[in-house]
Amino acid sequence: MAFSPALSRLIDAFRILPGVGAKSAQRMAFHLLQNEREGGVYLAESIQTAVASIRHCRECRMFAEAELCEICRNEQRDASRVCVVESPADVMAIEQNTNFQGRYFVLMGHLSPIDGIGPEQLGLDVLRERLASGPVEELILAVGATVEGEATAQYIAELARQNDASVTRIAHGVPVGGELEYVDAGTLSQAFSGRRPL
Amino acid sequence: MAFSPALSRLIDAFRILPGVGAKSAQRMAFHLLQNEREGGVYLAESIQTAVASIRHCRECRMFAEAELCEICRNEQRDASRVCVVESPADVMAIEQNTNFQGRYFVLMGHLSPIDGIGPEQLGLDVLRERLASGPVEELILAVGATVEGEATAQYIAELARQNDASVTRIAHGVPVGGELEYVDAGTLSQAFSGRRPL
């Protein structure tokens, strides 16, 4: 016995979502059909609208419905400071938790030659142009402290230097509120070598 | 700064899915827009098709696209044995792992007066009719071993007795391959009181 075709297809379709395996997909399909038919219709329409209308900001590659995103349209934001991040979620995190008033550049990933992600896929030509044409004084790297993030940071730092922009990198170290004994080796060693005078 | 309207709406819509909170919803939306636009369109269409075409089988309440589900349409299946389960997933589990050749009745939940789920919401009037009209000899209860499942089982057992059908319940006890010391108290006590002569 198998599920009816429409149900099998629905369960299968849910598996495109990240972190959703066979069991969760089945659970989602049942929940939707049993308790959330209206919600399901809303979800379907939201996906269709989003896929049709959301593209990348011409300047910073953030998701946007217009040609420029809200931040790049905002003349109040300091165009001389550009923060480079890996994902739109990082932009949101920085906006919500810091008082950074500059602009962004969203890589939408990090260098990963093995997956075919090179400088072009990260839009680094767009960034190069921005560095060459605009008055970028400081490029702030806020990419992940992973091996790929590191490689990406090095590549972008080189790009910035070629265009006479100074490059900084957000601090990596012991999290605020973190206890030393629970911090992993890499973070602790990073924190030690990055110590600053009080 | 907030996400663009279509993106906010998409993130919001993903939260109707079970087990999806704010972070996962955001991750799903980004993943879909970044890597799975075609998959997203497929998912949206699958939801719309499913919501429009899937209803409940007239006889057993299983999800079905026709008036009767595949099992109820199958004349080879023994109509004198009916297994009562809480969800469509349970039907699939029994079909895949046992050689039960009877039919099913899917409650789509369990008695839970506090949530407004009474006998009517579980379709027990449909079950009563089936017991009264058909040649049901054995009603097999395969509902969960929870407090609500217990109450539901008692209610249905009474219904079956009124209609001269014998009632059985699937065994609850130590899982096969399970070690005694890791089994919880309730299961062990259930296994003990349910011991059988070898």
Side-chain angles (χ1 to χ4, degrees):
Chain A
M1 211 290 269
F3 288 126
S4 75
L7 184 51
S8 301
R9 186 182 146 177
L10 179 60
I11 294 173
D12 184 53
F14 271 123
R15 300 196 55 185
I16 64 146
L17 298 174
V20 176
K23 281 272 172 188
S24 315
Q26 188 176 301
R27 195 162 142 247
M28 286 176 173
F30 290 165
H31 176 77
L32 197 147
L33 288 169
Q34 185 63 10
N35 311 312
E36 280 283 10
R37 289 189 175 229
E38 274 177 38
V41 171
Y42 178 73
L43 173 59
E45 286 168 0
S46 301
I47 293 173
Q48 284 162 335
T49 307
V51 167
S53 68
I54 295 175
R55 45 186 174 166
H56 294 284
C57 169
R58 195 188 56 197
E59 287 269 310
C60 75
R61 302 184 88 221
M62 179 72 175
F63 288 129
E65 282 164 69
E67 204 174 338
L68 289 176
C69 74
E70 209 184 306
I71 293 178
C72 289
R73 271 203 310 268
N74 185 347
E75 293 289 338
Q76 305 296 310
R77 311 269 316 207
D78 182 359
S80 72
R81 267 162 235 294
V82 175
C83 178
V84 180
V85 296
E86 290 187 11
S87 83
D90 299 338
V91 173
M92 292 310 289
I94 294 173
E95 286 291 297
Q96 280 159 11
N97 301 303
T98 74
N99 60 358
F100 178 64
Q101 287 299 315
R103 307 227 173 152
Y104 292 91
F105 187 81
V106 186
L107 300 170
M108 295 284 175
H110 43 230
L111 289 177
S112 179
I114 215 166
D115 302 314
I117 300 177
E120 204 177 312
Q121 282 69 39
L122 300 182
L124 293 183
D125 44 337
V126 179
L127 181 62
R128 176 181 284 126
E129 219 166 275
R130 223 166 126 185
L131 287 165
S133 68
V136 179
E137 284 164 26
E138 184 183 2
L139 197 71
I140 302 163
L141 295 172
V143 296
T146 57
V147 174
E148 294 90 350
E150 203 64 49
T152 312
Q154 294 305 331
Y155 190 98
I156 296 173
E158 186 52 39
L159 204 68
R161 279 187 215 103
Q162 286 167 4
N163 290 280
D164 301 317
S166 77
V167 185
T168 58
R169 185 158 191 195
I170 60 165
H172 292 292
V174 178
V176 175
E179 299 206 48
L180 278 199
E181 65 173 314
Y182 298 117
V183 169
D184 67 288
T187 301
L188 194 53
S189 121
Q190 187 87 268
F192 227 80
S193 65
R195 65 190 181 276
R196 300 196 308 179
L198 257 186
Chain B
M1 212 289 269
F3 288 126
S4 75
L7 184 51
S8 302
R9 187 182 145 178
L10 179 60
I11 294 172
D12 185 53
F14 271 123
R15 300 196 55 185
I16 65 148
L17 298 175
V20 176
K23 282 272 171 187
S24 315
Q26 187 177 299
R27 195 161 141 247
M28 287 174 172
F30 290 165
H31 177 78
L32 196 146
L33 288 169
Q34 185 63 10
N35 313 313
E36 279 284 11
R37 290 189 173 229
E38 274 176 37
V41 171
Y42 178 73
L43 173 59
E45 287 168 0
S46 301
I47 293 173
Q48 284 162 336
T49 307
V51 167
S53 67
I54 296 175
R55 45 186 175 168
H56 294 283
C57 170
R58 196 187 56 197
E59 288 269 311
C60 75
R61 301 184 88 224
M62 180 71 177
F63 288 128
E65 282 163 69
E67 206 175 337
L68 289 177
C69 74
E70 208 183 308
I71 293 178
C72 289
R73 269 202 312 268
N74 185 347
E75 293 289 339
Q76 306 297 311
R77 309 268 319 203
D78 182 358
S80 73
R81 268 161 233 294
V82 175
C83 178
V84 180
V85 296
E86 292 187 10
S87 83
D90 299 337
V91 173
M92 292 311 289
I94 294 173
E95 287 291 298
Q96 280 159 11
N97 301 303
T98 74
N99 60 358
F100 179 63
Q101 288 298 318
R103 306 228 175 153
Y104 292 91
F105 187 82
V106 186
L107 300 170
M108 294 284 173
H110 43 230
L111 287 177
S112 179
I114 215 165
D115 302 316
I117 300 176
E120 203 177 314
Q121 281 70 39
L122 300 183
L124 293 184
D125 43 338
V126 179
L127 181 62
R128 175 181 286 125
E129 218 165 275
R130 223 166 124 183
L131 285 166
S133 67
V136 179
E137 283 163 28
E138 183 184 3
L139 197 71
I140 302 163
L141 294 171
V143 297
T146 57
V147 175
E148 294 91 350
E150 204 62 50
T152 310
Q154 293 305 330
Y155 190 98
I156 295 173
E158 186 51 39
L159 204 67
R161 279 187 216 103
Q162 288 167 4
N163 290 281
D164 300 316
S166 77
V167 185
T168 57
R169 184 157 191 196
I170 59 165
H172 291 292
V174 177
V176 175
E179 301 206 45
L180 277 199
E181 64 173 316
Y182 298 118
V183 169
D184 67 287
T187 301
L188 194 52
S189 121
Q190 187 86 268
F192 228 79
S193 65
R195 66 189 180 277
R196 300 197 306 180
L198 256 187

